[in-house]
Amino acid sequence: DVKVTQSSRYLVKRTGEKVFLECVQDMDHENMFWYRQDPGLGLRLIYFSYDVKMKEKGDIPEGYSVSREKKERFSLILESASTNQTSMYLCASSYRDRGLGSYEQYFGPGTRLTVT
Amino acid sequence: GQSLEQPSEVTAVEGAIVQINCTYQTSGFYGLSWYQQHDGGAPTFLSYNALDGLEETGRFSSFLSRSDSYGYLLLQELQMKDSASYFCAVRVGGYQKVTFGTGTKLQVIP
């Protein structure tokens, strides 16, 4: 049974704090992704990684950084949390395919982050 | 950049058929995916179309027209458990990077 886990289901942090969200997958996937989901805005890609130590900016990377030191683990870092980063954060992983196929993304349960 | 349009809400009767449309404007299009998300749950993959035509998986089918930049998800024999949000997503580059639409909330009523 494939599994993507996230470190916390709910998290409350104060403005200015450094926040770490961790994601672990057990499927040996090359690709890992961080999204945030807000009502009416769908899922927006923050960063993704296609290999260890490799990262690419998504559509909304400002205010975020990521780290991938091991294949199974992808961390999202909020250097200085702000109230507009209050959101649901979803991690996903997939196999890497260089053709026209699309390997499905498997999502974790999400972390609901509240910044006060 | 990429943009996707899908209706925000759809209501349908149990046992009926419903079609959720998705139009997109992208560069470097590879294919169109569909995901289902129940309230409080994680998105789960439903289908992927890279070529024009209809793909069927049980009660769900997905269609793509690359020339029209359009696709749809067709749900047949609707069940109450199909009440969920449905997202279309376009693959626009290598490494399976996708851009998601804003989602369609489907409500199935008795």
Side-chain angles (χ1 to χ4, degrees):
Chain A
D1 194 20
V2 297
K3 188 173 284 188
V4 179
T5 57
Q6 296 184 226
S7 50
S8 304
R9 194 77 170 94
Y10 298 94
L11 205 55
V12 180
K13 295 292 182 180
R14 293 194 181 278
T15 301
E17 279 193 86
K18 191 169 186 175
V19 182
F20 293 86
L21 303 182
E22 292 212 313
C23 175
V24 178
Q25 50 96 2
D26 66 358
M27 296 165 280
D28 202 34
H29 285 163
E30 294 88 359
N31 298 330
M32 296 189 75
F33 308 83
W34 274 107
Y35 297 90
R36 64 177 283 177
Q37 184 172 25
D38 302 286
L41 297 178
L43 284 79
R44 293 180 291 167
L45 180 65
I46 304 171
Y47 268 96
F48 70 101
S49 168
Y50 52 89
D51 205 345
V52 175
K53 297 190 185 296
M54 306 305 290
K55 60 185 178 184
E56 292 284 341
K57 292 180 180 179
D59 300 316
I60 52 164
E62 296 79 18
Y64 304 94
S65 62
V66 290
S67 172
R68 191 164 181 206
E69 297 297 317
K70 293 186 177 183
K71 190 175 185 180
E72 68 272 18
R73 191 178 298 268
F74 192 34
S75 300
L76 179 70
I77 303 152
L78 287 67
E79 295 289 343
S80 178
S82 64
T83 55
N84 62 13
Q85 293 178 309
T86 291
S87 186
M88 172 67 83
Y89 290 87
L90 290 162
C91 174
S93 69
S94 75
Y95 289 114
R96 186 168 72 205
D97 168 40
R98 301 189 183 201
L100 289 178
S102 175
Y103 290 100
E104 63 184 279
Q105 294 190 12
Y106 294 84
F107 283 83
T111 296
R112 185 164 293 282
L113 173 67
T114 301
V115 183
T116 62
Chain B
Q2 286 71 239
S3 70
L4 296 91
E5 286 192 22
Q6 51 181 131
S8 58
E9 293 183 354
V10 172
T11 300
V13 177
E14 189 178 15
I17 299 172
V18 70
Q19 178 174 313
I20 299 174
N21 298 321
C22 176
T23 57
Y24 58 87
Q25 288 186 319
T26 69
S27 56
F29 177 83
Y30 278 65
L32 184 71
S33 301
W34 289 92
Y35 285 78
Q36 178 192 60
Q37 185 181 30
H38 287 99
D39 283 348
T44 56
F45 175 84
L46 292 176
S47 67
Y48 176 75
N49 295 67
L51 303 175
D52 287 356
L54 191 68
E55 299 274 348
E56 298 181 55
T57 308
R59 295 186 298 112
F60 292 6
S61 303
S62 58
F63 172 83
L64 176 66
S65 169
R66 295 173 69 109
S67 60
D68 294 325
S69 298
Y70 164 75
Y72 65 72
L73 180 69
L74 192 73
L75 295 80
Q76 302 182 72
E77 301 172 19
L78 279 172
Q79 302 176 8
M80 298 301 290
K81 68 178 181 180
D82 296 330
S83 292
S85 292
Y86 292 84
F87 295 89
C88 59
V90 292
R91 181 185 168 197
V92 296
Y95 308 122
Q96 286 78 52
K97 178 190 172 190
V98 298
T99 296
F100 283 81
T102 54
T104 298
K105 190 172 181 68
L106 171 65
Q107 183 182 15
V108 180
I109 58 176

